[in-house]
Amino acid sequence: MNPLSVNVGKTELKSPIILASGTCNFGRELSEYYDLSILGGMSSKGLTIKPRAGNPGVRVAECASGMLNSVGLQNPGVHYFIENDLDFMKESGAAVIVNVAGHSYEDYVDMATTLAPHKDKIDALEINLSCPNVKAGCMTIGSDPEAIKAITSKLRSLTDLPLWIKLTPNVTDIKATALAAQEGGADAVVLINTLMGMRIDIRTRRPILTNNTGGYSGPAVKPVAIRMIAEASQVLSIPIVGCGGIEDYKDVIEFMIAGASAVEIGTACLVHPSLPVKITEDLNKYCEENSLELKSLTGTLQRW
């Protein structure tokens, strides 16, 4: 029996470790560092119907406890992905999670329709309603509970693939947006995407990022992610995939206790590409020493 196996709804994963969208591309580069089949899954680069060049100018800025990015959903487009990258992801041995982005309601519909004929190669669709680095779609939809419910409901009617709704933390009440996704028919929610942030060059008095603001990720966002997962888990009956600042196996365990069924790792893998290997080894050792299955930890938070 594999002590690391988990379930996100009807999606079975050999490990709770998923590579976060936007940080692993489609896995080819990381496959040079380790065998991707040790992973629970990979979430693809955020995909749109048409190719996107992304935002111009400076798109990444380091911070003391993380990084800012304003890449702007650079991607080759879904048709290129299907032709050139989907088979590679499927053959990697990790679950294939396709991150779906858009600038409008219609874009998401078109994406779901385009991916439908390839559903046998896809384990879940991660619906990106949270990217802060584009001017339309994504976070502008994901900040409105009614819009979240409407788009999730429409996608539910178009596909029987599991729908994971990736939500923004840049809202007043994460419970309201998470519940909206559930009410729309989501199979899971993914918490959290990046926080809005800015850095300024004191010499020029201009933001370092040409887009002015960007998404803040890394260790500093972890307490925010933990809090939001713990809040959402109190009102949801569907699973949560947690992400935000995970650096080691203890972080994974903390996320699961808070309510996550699986986790995504992004920024830390940019610093240490083979980090999932170390985390997997440590989780196996933890389960052996404590005679438990990792999934038994989910939602076991004891509140004061």
Side-chain angles (χ1 to χ4, degrees), residues 70-199:
S70 181
V71 173
L73 288 176
Q74 177 181 340
N75 76 93
V78 69
H79 296 285
Y80 182 96
F81 164 76
I82 291 169
E83 184 175 346
N84 296 278
D85 296 300
L86 179 56
D87 284 343
F88 174 85
M89 289 187 70
K90 183 64 176 177
E91 292 165 6
S92 73
V96 177
I97 296 99
V98 178
N99 186 280
V100 173
H103 298 288
S104 67
Y105 185 92
E106 291 74 22
D107 281 354
Y108 288 96
V109 170
D110 288 346
M111 286 288 290
T113 303
T114 301
L115 289 165
H118 310 279
K119 65 180 184 179
D120 291 344
K121 299 177 181 179
I122 300 169
D123 294 284
L125 298 180
E126 184 176 61
I127 309 304
N128 187 345
L129 300 184
S130 50
C131 176
N133 300 319
V134 291
K135 294 180 179 178
C138 290
M139 193 175 77
T140 57
I141 296 172
S143 301
D144 180 351
E146 288 303 316
I148 293 170
K149 182 178 178 179
I151 200 164
T152 304
S153 178
K154 180 61 178 178
L155 294 174
R156 179 76 291 155
S157 71
L158 295 173
T159 181
D160 57 2
L161 281 169
L163 294 176
W164 299 3
I165 310 301
K166 191 168 188 177
L167 296 171
T168 177
N170 301 294
V171 294
T172 303
D173 184 3
I174 195 65
K175 297 189 296 296
T177 53
L179 276 171
Q182 177 173 287
E183 291 167 1
D187 294 274
V189 295
V190 183
L191 301 174
I192 59 174
N193 207 325
T194 54
L195 297 163
M196 288 286 287
M198 178 188 286
R199 280 203 62 201

Side-chain angles (χ1 to χ4, degrees), residues 13 22 26 31 40 56 76-77 99 105 114 124 126 137 141 169 177 224 236 240 244 249 261 294 296:
L13 304 176
F26 305 114
S31 69
N99 186 280
Y105 185 92
T114 301
E126 184 176 61
I141 296 172
T177 53
V224 178
L236 293 178
I240 298 170
Y249 83 99
S261 295
L294 206 60
S296 68

Side-chain angles (χ1 to χ4, degrees), residues 234 301-304:
Q234 290 187 294
L301 176 65
Q302 301 297 306
R303 294 178 178 273
W304 295 103

